[in-house]
Amino acid sequence: MSVPAATFAPVPYDLVIVGGGVNGIGIARDAAGRGLGVLVLEGRDLAAATSSASSKLIHGGLRYLEHSEFRLVRESLKEREVLWTAAPHIVHPLRFVLPVRPGMRPAWVLRTGLFLYDHIGGREHLPPTRTLRRGRAAAFAPLRDSIRTAFEYSDCAVDDARLVVLNAIDAHEHGAAIAVGWRLTGARRAARNWNIDVESSGGERRTVQARGLINAAGPWVTSVLASAGVPRHRALRLVKGSHLVLPRLYTGRHAYTLQAQDGRVIFAVPYGDSYTLLGTTEIPYAADAAQASVSDTEVDYLCRGVGEYLREPIEPKKVVWAYAGVRPLYDDGSVDASTVTRDYVFDIDAPPDAAPILSVFGGKLTTYRRLAEHALAKLLPRMHIETRPWTRGAVLPGGDFPNRDIEAFTARQRVRYDFLPPSTIRRMCRAYGTRIERIIGAARSVADLGDELAPGLFAAELAYLRREEWARCADDVLWRRSKLGLQFDASVVETINRWFAGGV
Ligand SMILES: Cc1cc2nc3c(=O)[nH]c(=O)nc-3n(C[C@H](O)[C@H](O)[C@H](O)COP(=O)(O)OP(=O)(O)OC[C@H]3O[C@@H](n4cnc5c(N)ncnc54)[C@H](O)[C@@H]3O)c2cc1C
C-alpha cells in the first residue's frame, strides 16, 4: 500500500528527493524548514534499508582516527551533543569500555586516540575518558581475568529508524510531502525542470516536476543516476555489515568496544532492557542491497570475536535476531573494505540553464544533519535560491522536555498514565517523547485505548502510527517504528496486518 497520489502537487516542487533514509529525509526536513516545496519519494518504507540496519550509534568513530579521517571524526563528535539535545528521547549517552589486551593496540596508542577524541569535537556535557582497573570497576565482571585495564569513554546510542521517522514528521510539519511506497522509475530534463516518473507499490503511475532533484537512494544511488540518464563521476563501494541480538550478555548500562584479531573493532551494546547488540562485520558486497542477509561465517566471527573477551563463550544458537545492512560508501580506492572512507561526498550534475541533480555518496547516521546543510549549500545557489541553515539547535518532534532528562520525563508520564504498565510507558516515552500525548491523550483507562492487539500494544498506538508516521503494515510497526518484533510471535504480525486491512 502506498500513500494516496493526492500527496502530489500539480505545480513543480522546488526539490524532489529520492530516498526515505536518514540522508534523504534529513535533507527534506532542512529544505522544508527553509520554505522550499519538497516531495520525498520512498519506494518501500521510511528507513527500510541501511538506515534501520546500523550499529545505532551517534559516534565520532574512534577507529577512523587511525585512518586520519580528522574532518569526519570532528564533525561527528560535534554532532553527538547536537543530536542528543534535539532528540533526547531517542539519543542516549553511553559509556564505552575499551579493554586493553596484550597483542592488540598498546595502551598508550589507545590513550592518545581517546585524548584526541575527547578534545577535538566540542564535547561539553558528555563525560571524558577515564582509566579503569580490575578490582575497582564493575565493568570487568564479565571480562576474562587476563584483562586488567580498560579505558571508558563517551558516545551515544540512537534508535536509527525512529531518527528517520522523527525527521520525516518534522519535514512534513514544515510542509514537505512524504510519499511512502512511491519510487522513481525515470527522470528527464525538460527546460528548467525535471520530469520525474513515479510508480506506487500498487502500480499507479504519475509524473511530477521539480526544479532540482536530490538522489539520496543509498545503495541504489547509481541506479537512480542511470534512471535519470545522468553520467556519474563518483564510484560507489557497497560494504555489508551484520549484527546479532542476544539475550543480555552482561549487567550494566555500558557498552564494550572490543578489538578483534584482524584489527577491526566489535561493539557490544545494551539493546532495549533485555538484550545485547553485537556488531559489525565489513564484507565487500555486490548484489541487491535489499537481499542482504547474515551468513554463518559472520555469526561465527562476531561470537568468536566477543567470546575472546568474555568469561562465558557465546553460543550462536542463542542469537534471537540478526540483521544485515549495506553501507553505500564513496569508493576512495582503498584496498580493504574496513578502511574505505565513511565520509560523504556529493556528485553534482548541473549544466548551465538546466535543472540540477545532486547525488549523495557515503555518510553516517551521525552526520546526516550536517550532510543536509552541506548538500543544500552546494545545490541551492545553482538554483538561485538563497536560504539559511536552521536545524542546529532545533528540537525534533517529541524531544521538547526539560534538560534532556528522559528519566524525569518518564517518571511524570508514569504518574499521569498510572493505568498503563511502567514498561509500556517507558517504551512509549523512549519512542515518542512528548508526542505520547497524541497517542494516550485524555484516556483514563486502558479501555479508552481500544483493543490490546499484543501485550502493551493498543489500537490507539497503531492509529497514531498510521495517521502520523506513515505506518502501513506490521513490519513498519514491529521492526522500524518500534522493535516490538523481538518480543512478539507470528500471530501478532497477522493480527496487526488484519488491523491495517480494517479487519480487527
Ligand atoms: C552495518 C552498518 C552499521 C552502521 N552503523 C552506523 C552507526 O552506528 N552510526 C552511524 O552514524 N552510521 C552507521 N552506519 C551508516 C549509516 O547507517 C548510513 O550511512 C545511512 O543509514 C545511510 O542512509 P541513506 O539515507 O544514505 O541510505 P538508506 O537508508 O539506504 O536510504 C535509501 C533509501 O532510498 C530508497 N530508494 C532507493 N531507490 C529508490 C527509488 N528509485 N525511488 C524511491 N526510493 C528509493 C530505499 O528504499 C531506501 O529507503 C552503519 C551502516 C551499516 C551498513
Side-chain angles (χ1 to χ4, degrees):
M1 201 179 43
S2 48
V3 295
T7 307
F8 304 132
V11 291
Y13 290 94
D14 291 316
L15 290 178
V16 165
I17 298 172
V18 188
V22 75
N23 288 327
I25 291 291
I27 297 170
R29 174 199 183 214
D30 193 338
R34 296 176 193 221
L36 303 187
V38 174
L39 168 69
V40 178
L41 300 170
E42 168 48 56
R44 292 156 70 198
D45 182 25
L46 298 172
T50 318
S51 297
S52 59
S54 78
S55 303
K56 309 182 195 306
L57 301 178
I58 297 294
H59 66 155
L62 184 58
R63 194 167 62 90
Y64 308 144
L65 285 176
E66 281 182 334
H67 308 303
S68 306
E69 297 231 34
F70 296 111
R71 192 212 77 78
L72 172 67
V73 175
R74 195 173 141 76
E75 181 172 289
S76 305
L77 288 170
K78 284 186 170 173
E79 281 302 283
R80 293 180 309 185
E81 296 198 16
V82 174
L83 297 179
W84 177 27
T85 305
H89 46 328
I90 60 156
V91 177
H92 307 288
L94 199 57
R95 295 293 278 170
F96 283 75
V97 175
L98 167 56
V100 178
R101 188 162 169 232
M104 301 288 177
R105 295 166 187 87
W108 71 267
V109 168
L110 299 177
R111 191 73 193 84
T112 309
L114 286 164
F115 179 83
L116 277 176
Y117 209 68
D118 271 354
H119 291 94
I120 63 172
R123 184 182 51 79
E124 284 179 23
H125 300 283
L126 292 170
T129 299
R130 62 180 186 139
T131 305
L132 305 179
R133 307 228 184 264
R134 185 173 281 277
R136 283 196 291 258
F140 285 94
L143 299 179
R144 292 183 179 199
D145 286 340
S146 56
I147 296 162
R148 315 298 301 170
T149 310
F151 297 110
E152 190 194 71
Y153 67 95
S154 289
D155 264 326
C156 291
V158 65
D159 184 330
D160 51 5
R162 288 212 60 77
L163 180 67
V164 177
V165 172
L166 297 185
N167 274 277
I169 295 171
D170 211 27
H172 185 61
E173 288 182 351
H174 282 97
I178 311 285
V180 172
W182 287 86
R183 67 190 182 93
L184 172 146
T185 54
R188 297 166 308 283
R189 281 187 168 112
R192 297 203 172 187
N193 285 334
W194 282 99
N195 279 333
I196 300 159
D197 299 326
V198 298
E199 185 174 342
S200 77
S201 41
E204 192 182 347
R205 291 187 184 171
R206 287 286 177 115
T207 299
V208 292
Q209 291 196 323
R211 294 172 63 196
L213 187 53
I214 291 191
N215 170 9
W220 297 274
V221 63
T222 51
S223 337
V224 169
L225 276 171
S227 305
V230 175
R232 64 178 149 122
H233 312 288
R234 311 262 187 207
L236 182 70
R237 184 91 163 258
L238 298 182
V239 177
K240 181 176 73 150
S242 296
H243 290 84
L244 311 179
V245 176
L246 296 102
R248 201 165 62 177
L249 293 175
Y250 57 90
T251 50
R253 295 303 304 166
H254 57 281
Y256 290 97
T257 303
L258 305 172
Q259 303 177 70
Q261 295 286 359
D262 58 6
R264 300 182 57 260
V265 296
I266 301 175
F267 295 113
V269 184
Y271 195 60
D273 291 332
S274 322
Y275 302 99
T276 303
L277 174 69
L278 303 183
T280 170
T281 53
E282 285 168 313
I283 316 263
Y285 191 76
D288 180 7
Q291 306 302 325
S293 63
V294 184
S295 69
D296 291 347
T297 318
E298 289 176 286
V299 174
D300 276 358
Y301 171 87
L302 292 170
C303 289
R304 235 177 317 108
V306 177
E308 282 169 14
Y309 285 82
L310 300 187
R311 287 178 195 283
E312 302 289 331
I314 302 180
E315 294 172 45
K317 65 174 194 252
K318 292 209 170 138
V319 172
V320 294
W321 181 43
Y323 62 88
V326 175
R327 298 173 196 266
L329 301 179
Y330 161 58
D331 189 354
D332 61 1
S334 297
V335 179
D336 186 347
S338 74
T339 59
V340 181
T341 183
R342 266 52 177 166
D343 212 343
Y344 51 84
V345 296
F346 303 126
D347 186 2
I348 302 181
D349 186 87
D353 295 326
I357 176 170
L358 177 146
S359 301
V360 176
F361 286 72
K364 297 169 60 186
L365 286 173
T366 308
T367 50
Y368 86 93
R369 193 195 65 81
R370 292 290 286 141
L371 180 151
E373 287 182 343
H374 285 145
L376 295 176
K378 291 264 181 224
L379 187 67
L380 298 185
R382 292 170 193 257
M383 297 168 64
H384 311 289
I385 296 176
E386 259 185 57
T387 56
R388 292 166 72 88
W390 63 277
T391 55
R392 191 190 161 87
V395 171
L396 281 163
D400 51 342
F401 49 84
N403 308 321
R404 301 186 282 215
D405 192 343
I406 181 70
E407 298 303 338
F409 173 72
T410 305
R412 286 195 295 279
Q413 305 314 305
R414 268 196 205 127
V415 174
R416 181 169 177 202
Y417 302 122
D418 60 357
F419 53 87
L420 280 172
S423 58
T424 303
I425 290 289
R426 181 176 151 79
R427 172 181 72 75
M428 291 175 85
C429 287
R430 286 170 173 254
Y432 308 111
T434 55
R435 288 172 74 91
I436 189 175
E437 166 83 35
R438 294 178 184 231
I439 299 167
I440 312 183
R444 289 169 169 257
S445 71
V446 287
D448 295 336
L449 299 177
D451 290 339
E452 188 170 7
L453 298 146
L457 181 64
F458 294 88
E461 187 170 349
L462 291 185
Y464 164 83
L465 290 171
R466 178 168 61 189
R467 191 177 66 239
E468 302 198 28
E469 295 198 1
W470 300 273
R472 296 161 300 148
C473 66
D475 270 8
D476 297 352
V477 172
L478 298 177
W479 292 110
R480 288 180 284 278
R481 285 150 192 81
S482 80
K483 288 293 181 291
L484 285 168
L486 273 170
Q487 292 164 35
F488 299 150
D489 60 27
S491 68
V492 173
V493 174
E494 238 176 72
T495 309
I496 296 177
N497 279 333
R498 250 187 297 127
W499 183 92
F500 275 104
V504 173

